[in-house]
Amino acid sequence: MARDAPRLILLPPGADLADAFARELIGRCRAQLPDLAALTIVVPASAAIPHLRRRLTHHAGRGLLGPRLVTLAGFAAQHVGAEPALSALECRLLLTEALRRHRNLFPAQDNARVAEALFELFEELTAQRFDPGADEDAFRARLASAYGGAVPLDWLSREAQIVHKLWLAFRQDCGDRSPAATHLAGLRAMLDASPAPVHLVGCDEFSAGERALLAPALRKGRAELWLSGRERGHDGATTAALIEALGIEPERRDAPAGALSALLDAAFDTEVKGSDPFTREAVNGSDPFTKGVRPLFRIVEAGGAEHEARCVDLAVRQALLAGAQDVVVLTQDRRLARRLRALLERANIPLQDHAGWALSTSRAAAALDAWLECLEGRFRFRPLLDLLKSGFAEVDPQALDRLERKLIYRDGIDGGLKALIDAAHSKPLEALLKKLKAAAFTVPRAGRAVPARRWTESLIQSLDRIGLRERLVQDEAGAQLARLLGALDAAFARVPLTLRWEEFRELLDGAIERATFAPTTGRGAVRLLTLEQAAGLRCEQLIVAGATREQLPGASKRDPFFSQSVRAELGLPDWQARQQLALARLRGALDRAQSVLVTYAAGSDDEPAQASPWIEAIEAQAARAGVSLRDADLARLAFSRDCEVGDVQAGVAGPQRRPAPATPPALLPERLSATGHQVLLDCPYRFFARSLLKLESEHAPDEDPDRSDYGKHVHRILHAFATQVPGLPPPFEGPINARTRAAAQARLEEIAAAEFAPGLERRALTLTWAAEFRASIPGLLDWMSRRPPLREVRTEAELSADLDGLRLHGILDRIETRLNGTRVIVDYKAGKVPKEDDVLTGEAVQLLHYALLDPQVTAVEYRPLREKKFKPVLIEDELPALREAARARLQRALARLRDGAPLPAQGIEHVCEYCDYAGLCRREDWSPTADRGDKHG
């Protein structure tokens, strides 16, 4: 190619740009093959490199030496300037210092966050070649013109003053060494020094500064630009604007249209042609929707976030089983991406994530955060355990077990190294705690400001002392975190600041939030990309996931400075330009894919699912031709057992079902409480975990009180009202009637005050509990005064009875013996009361279990303390029949346990909602109807 021939080649949106470019380049350089090392090819994103390299090799028919394939940023970074460039981190620190010099600009604002926003703005201004100039009044006048006079002058003056003053300070501190300025300088130098023309393939976005450098290079033949797209329609606005900005007439070339080109053209045209709707025959009389039996374009509306992730997971596995070699999942939704990654890893499918992962979400960052929280919070037990269990701290397992189980959960020590060391009574544990204490002393505790580098040096030293830093570098995310700490330390060395600990922590947290890391994965057939990385994308199967209005095109970016009109006036990209670029990239990706699946779901249960308007436009255009793009089968199959993960690599996608556990004979219980009885009927698996394996959740020292804590207080009060309880006032003697009622109420209030008194000093909630019980006293005394004459009343009475070799037992709140010798069992309810229908049908078995303990019991009763909210339940006439039914049902259940019956989860929603074993349960592996036909025994 002659160096003085302008080259801007434009192909249709569906064309294989990489293939067309590779064919022409190899044709030009045939005599030089295989040595193309002198050539440089610039691509918009690294995701475009593999396909372009394959096409070059294909057309050359052999392996190649070169060419160099880089992004524009990578190309410019190859130039090394005379002065060392400043990193983004160093620029933010300089802005932080500038904000301190101008404290009046942002009163009561966090300097680090303001510096972040200003840095982004100043980088944009530099990239777009905008200079506010030295005259603040002229800058204010320009802003006023952009606002159209609609903004109050005082506010406008304030915004102009802020930006202008800090821009001048930033330029003075950074000079031409900021990242954006360094990039432009490097691009200019590389274009001038390149021995051969630079080829830009698929690059569809340039800043004003980049265009100013590329346009002359294109005109003089020192560069050529290959684009795909069209110059009309909503999707063509970006291409048309770029061509106009470069000022070069493109060489327009034809290429075979893609199967979806006609549909996409019609969907994104700026005018709807009512007389010429899109039809199936629009593309050479062929059918653009099907290829064999598989539709080329499918849309799936999922029922929720998890359902959508399962749909995408299934679609990926279907594509791989069908022989696809290049599957791309395109999404802006990082939460969906994380869930998809987990699902694919379960199927042993590597996912190449080109966007990387937020460093702040990694285990390594969590371990560092736990250490910082330990330093700041006197080693409270939660961050301490998080640190020691992170896998990055060197810990003796037995010492950790003693610390957690005995000192924290059994002895209730909620933190503090001194308290933990004093209670350790174990040399390994003492050594561990003392090592932490010594490391903590390396970080200064004073609240005063110190040179910032002292914070990084002392923090790194403390990490070395506890062995955390050594283990971090052995992990991919941890190594990135260690490098970030080193970079922050180096930045403080070049930009000296004086910071308080809180300010240092803000800077550190911000740096971790911005950082990403890319875990190493084997070369696989599945790639995860964002829309920004989709420029020039071509693949076999494209899955556009999370295609909602919120994600595609996404909400308008909230720029902290300047409205959209002012941004346009200053030459900064506004929302409309960003949206047009995103649409162009989406359209190109859809057009160049062999098959497309679009999925979307509602963001929450109370919101309807709304597809992206771009997807709606495509669907509406297809509907005009009488074609439905909806795929109901994939949504239906996503949770199907037949589509559960199997050995995908072996080409088998059968379900992997884990059997429900059987009853181990050695673990059969000797005793059964009313609670265990209820659990056995509600959920066999829960009974297996609770009563057979005896798994119990730990109670943390700082665990929030719940309704059961209130119930314990109430039962002690009512027990003390009838029987002497150590530490509480004496019980009330005699019957309760009109004459004794006042005395009874006074005694009950006295007992309640004594019971709640210790908690009033520790928990404000205890005051609420005391008031609630006091309000229930009148109704409780009314009920007691209506009781018939009794021979005896016992409270907290423990009863037991044998049933087929099993000892049934229970502790009864109140058991009354009438004058005729019959008995009534009363259970006080401080909270929810079971429904009478559930008792009569045997679903709520507590009272019936108690009735099995004593044949003299003729009535059972639930007595609610909150009568206005719950109704009492009294079972008397029906009790004999219900007791025998409960006995027979329990006998059948016990017989099945002894026979080794499987114990699956019933999957009853209200039971699962409050289950402590959700993390262990695999109810989806078991039939939801298992044992349900004999649920009553």
Side-chain angles (χ1 to χ4, degrees):
M1 182 182 73
R3 290 180 64 92
D4 57 353
R7 292 296 297 268
L8 196 165
I9 296 92
L10 178 64
L11 278 72
D16 188 342
L17 188 65
D19 183 76
F21 167 75
R23 181 188 297 109
E24 182 163 323
L25 181 69
I26 295 300
R28 292 183 207 158
C29 305
R30 184 69 64 180
Q32 304 169 30
L33 297 180
D35 186 4
L36 299 181
L39 298 182
T40 297
I41 302 174
V42 177
V43 294
S46 59
I49 291 177
H51 178 59
L52 177 54
R53 193 174 294 283
R54 285 194 297 267
R55 300 321 298 163
L56 288 167
T57 304
H58 170 76
H59 288 293
R62 66 177 81 178
L64 295 174
L65 179 62
R68 230 174 358 174
L69 273 67
V70 294
T71 62
L72 193 64
F75 175 64
Q78 294 173 13
H79 171 70
V80 179
E83 291 187 76
L86 293 174
S87 68
L89 177 59
E90 290 167 329
C91 290
R92 292 187 184 96
L93 295 180
L94 288 171
L95 276 170
T96 301
E97 185 61 25
L99 286 167
R100 289 183 168 188
R101 296 199 300 266
H102 301 279
R103 296 179 184 275
N104 61 318
L105 295 181
F106 291 96
Q109 295 289 323
D110 177 70
N111 285 342
R113 295 188 181 277
V114 176
E116 169 68 20
L118 286 169
F119 173 70
E120 290 184 6
L121 173 64
F122 293 163
E123 284 290 273
E124 279 193 300
L125 291 173
T126 302
Q128 301 299 334
R129 301 181 69 201
F130 176 81
D131 189 347
D135 189 342
E136 183 180 317
D137 292 334
F139 182 57
R140 186 186 301 111
R142 185 167 183 179
L143 290 186
S145 174
Y147 276 117
V151 178
L153 186 59
D154 56 346
W155 186 91
L156 182 61
S157 298
R158 175 77 175 161
E159 186 177 45
Q161 179 191 35
I162 289 173
V163 172
H164 196 268
K165 281 186 178 298
L166 292 173
W167 169 262
L168 293 179
F170 180 71
R171 298 301 300 164
Q172 181 179 357
D173 291 337
C174 293
D176 291 326
R177 296 187 297 151
S178 71
T182 302
H183 168 74
L184 292 177
L187 180 59
R188 178 187 298 108
M190 292 301 296
L191 287 172
D192 290 342
S194 178
V198 177
H199 309 277
L200 298 101
V201 181
C203 300
D204 55 1
E205 181 187 23
F206 301 104
S207 67
E210 291 168 340
R211 291 196 303 268
L213 297 173
L214 288 171
L218 290 170
R219 293 192 190 96
K220 296 177 181 178
R222 290 186 288 107
E224 68 172 0
L225 174 61
W226 288 66
L227 294 174
S228 65
R230 59 176 184 160
E231 299 168 89
R232 62 182 178 82
H234 294 291
D235 58 307
T238 293
T239 303
L242 176 58
I243 292 172
E244 181 180 1
L246 291 172
I248 299 174
E249 184 66 19
E251 177 185 336
R252 299 174 179 86
R253 296 187 182 179
D254 291 329
L260 296 173
S261 295
L263 170 63
L264 299 174
D265 281 347
F268 300 135
D269 271 340
T270 52
E271 297 181 4
V272 177
K273 300 177 182 180
S275 60
D276 185 22
F278 171 80
T279 65
R280 286 175 177 269
E281 293 74 27
V283 187
N284 301 324
S286 64
D287 183 348
F289 297 104
T290 60
K291 181 179 182 182
V293 295
R294 178 176 292 277
L296 289 187
F297 198 106
R298 297 176 289 160
I299 299 176
V300 172
E301 177 182 343
E306 177 64 17
H307 187 204
E308 182 177 14
R310 294 292 187 107
C311 288
V312 178
D313 165 54
L314 178 57
V316 168
R317 290 189 282 121
Q318 286 177 335
L320 295 179
L321 290 170
Q325 298 297 314
D326 186 17
V327 180
V328 169
V329 179
L330 185 66
T331 185
Q332 307 291 95
D333 189 340
R334 294 305 298 173
R335 182 178 298 178
L336 175 61
R338 287 196 296 271
R339 180 57 183 145
L340 176 63
R341 184 187 187 95
L343 290 171
L344 292 178
E345 284 180 349
R346 183 183 65 171
N348 295 319
I349 298 175
L351 179 65
Q352 300 179 58
D353 186 356
H354 290 262
W357 292 78
L359 185 60
S360 59
T361 64
S362 67
R363 290 190 308 112
L368 175 62
D369 186 69
W371 173 241
L372 295 174
E373 286 192 34
C374 285
L375 297 176
E376 296 168 348
R378 74 172 193 88
F379 284 84
R380 294 295 300 273
F381 79 95
R382 290 191 185 278
L384 176 58
L385 289 180
D386 288 343
L387 171 68
L388 298 180
K389 290 182 174 183
S390 67
F392 292 97
E394 188 176 349
V395 183
D396 180 274
Q398 293 183 343
L400 176 58
D401 184 74
R402 180 176 178 81
L403 171 67
E404 180 179 20
R405 292 186 178 276
K406 184 179 186 305
L407 273 64
I408 293 174
Y409 285 102
R410 190 181 307 170
D411 297 347
I413 302 175
D414 67 352
L417 284 179
K418 183 179 185 306
L420 292 171
I421 291 173
D422 290 344
H425 303 306
S426 162
K427 289 186 178 180
L429 180 55
E430 284 185 25
L432 170 64
L433 295 173
K434 287 180 179 179
K435 182 170 69 171
L436 295 175
K437 183 178 179 180
F441 275 115
T442 64
V443 181
R445 304 294 184 89
R448 60 186 177 83
V450 300
R453 198 175 186 195
R454 185 178 174 190
W455 292 123
T456 52
E457 289 176 339
S458 60
L459 176 58
I460 291 172
Q461 185 180 359
S462 73
L463 296 178
D464 284 334
R465 287 200 171 188
I466 62 174
L468 188 64
R469 193 177 182 210
E470 180 182 355
R471 293 183 175 231
L472 283 176
V473 298
Q474 299 170 13
D475 174 79
E476 289 178 303
Q480 171 68 8
L481 185 61
R483 287 192 293 269
L484 187 147
L485 289 173
L488 190 61
D489 184 61
F492 284 142
R494 297 178 65 180
V495 184
L497 294 178
T498 301
L499 302 173
R500 298 190 309 276
W501 170 262
E502 295 79 10
E503 295 173 315
F504 166 74
R505 181 74 193 271
E506 282 286 343
L507 285 171
L508 175 61
D509 288 346
I512 293 174
E513 285 290 335
R514 289 187 297 271
T516 60
F517 76 100
T520 302
T521 56
R523 287 194 60 186
V526 187
R527 294 183 287 164
L528 181 66
L529 304 175
T530 64
L531 200 55
E532 184 180 7
Q533 298 163 330
L537 175 66
R538 188 176 188 87
C539 62
E540 291 178 64
Q541 171 74 58
L542 174 65
I543 302 174
V544 182
T548 63
R549 291 174 179 267
E550 291 75 21
Q551 298 287 347
L552 200 69
S556 176
K557 182 181 177 183
R558 298 180 66 88
D559 296 294
F561 299 100
F562 306 144
S563 68
Q564 296 300 311
S565 61
V566 172
R567 290 181 64 83
E569 168 68 23
L570 301 181
L572 302 178
D574 59 7
W575 167 238
Q576 184 178 15
R578 294 181 187 128
Q579 191 178 48
Q580 290 170 345
L581 177 62
L583 176 57
R585 287 175 174 170
L586 176 66
R587 188 260 156 86
L590 295 174
D591 213 352
R592 290 188 289 269
Q594 296 179 21
S595 163
V596 175
L597 170 68
V598 176
T599 69
Y600 69 98
S604 61
D605 293 337
D606 56 352
E607 294 180 2
Q610 291 185 305
S612 163
W614 297 340
I615 302 305
E616 287 181 342
I618 297 172
E619 185 174 19
Q621 193 63 42
R624 295 179 66 199
V627 177
S628 173
L629 303 181
R630 294 284 165 160
D631 182 355
D633 289 340
L634 184 67
R636 177 180 55 80
L637 292 171
F639 280 122
S640 169
R641 286 184 174 277
D642 294 335
C643 295
E644 280 295 326
V645 171
D647 189 353
V648 174
Q649 292 181 339
V652 179
Q656 291 183 333
R657 300 183 182 180
R658 283 162 286 192
T663 308
L667 297 181
L668 283 173
E670 297 178 355
R671 290 163 54 88
L672 185 68
S673 67
T675 302
H677 191 167
Q678 185 69 59
V679 168
L680 175 60
L681 301 183
D682 283 344
C683 179
Y685 180 76
R686 191 178 181 189
F687 179 80
F688 170 75
R690 183 183 186 277
S691 299
L692 301 188
L693 296 183
K694 302 187 183 306
L695 302 178
E696 295 181 9
S697 58
E698 299 278 14
H699 294 283
D702 64 347
E703 190 172 275
D704 292 334
D706 58 20
R707 195 71 190 173
S708 65
D709 294 307
Y710 172 62
K712 292 174 184 176
H713 287 298
V714 169
H715 283 79
R716 271 178 53 86
I717 293 168
L718 295 177
H719 181 36
F721 188 65
T723 306
Q724 181 63 58
V725 174
L728 293 179
F732 181 78
E733 301 290 348
I736 298 174
N737 50 41
R739 184 176 56 83
T740 63
R741 181 188 173 91
Q745 179 162 343
R747 180 55 52 86
L748 198 52
E749 289 177 349
E750 182 185 1
I751 295 172
E755 172 66 19
F756 287 122
L760 292 174
E761 300 177 359
R762 303 192 307 270
R763 296 173 178 163
L765 183 59
T766 306
L767 185 63
T768 302
W769 287 346
E772 181 179 333
F773 182 75
R774 190 162 50 248
S776 72
I777 290 177
L780 186 60
L781 292 176
D782 287 344
W783 172 77
M784 289 182 177
S785 66
R786 293 193 300 267
R787 307 305 283 173
L790 301 173
R791 180 190 302 173
E792 182 187 29
V793 174
R794 287 189 293 161
T795 56
E796 298 298 310
E798 184 170 2
L799 300 181
S800 61
D802 288 326
L803 179 67
D804 293 351
L806 182 70
R807 192 73 174 168
L808 305 182
H809 73 98
I811 300 177
L812 285 60
D813 292 347
R814 178 183 176 102
I815 181 168
E816 302 173 343
T817 303
R818 294 173 176 170
L819 297 180
N820 62 3
T822 60
R823 293 178 183 145
V824 178
I825 292 175
V826 179
D827 191 76
Y828 296 118
K829 288 297 182 186
K832 187 176 180 180
V833 178
K835 296 178 182 178
E836 185 173 359
D837 286 346
D838 289 339
V839 179
L840 294 175
T841 58
E843 293 303 308
V845 79
Q846 180 185 17
L847 291 181
L848 302 181
H849 179 91
Y850 291 157
L852 290 172
L853 302 179
D854 187 348
Q856 301 300 314
V857 171
T858 58
V860 290
E861 180 178 355
Y862 280 128
R863 170 48 43 185
L865 298 185
R866 295 189 288 175
E867 288 187 278
K868 292 183 179 180
K869 188 170 184 180
F870 299 107
K871 295 181 179 180
V873 176
L874 174 63
I875 306 297
E876 188 164 8
D877 295 340
E878 304 93 336
L879 183 59
L882 291 175
R883 174 163 44 198
E884 290 311 310
R887 187 195 312 275
R889 181 183 181 189
L890 181 56
Q891 286 174 323
R892 290 196 301 270
L894 292 174
R896 297 186 64 200
L897 287 177
R898 294 187 181 103
D899 290 341
L903 299 174
Q906 297 280 20
I908 302 173
E909 197 60 40
H910 74 272
V911 174
C912 295
E913 186 177 355
Y914 299 104
C915 183
D916 291 331
Y917 308 102
L920 304 175
C921 183
R922 296 294 180 267
R923 64 176 181 171
E924 65 273 11
D925 288 341
W926 307 318
S927 171
T929 58
D931 291 345
R932 197 169 290 224
D934 190 25
K935 189 175 176 230
H936 296 284

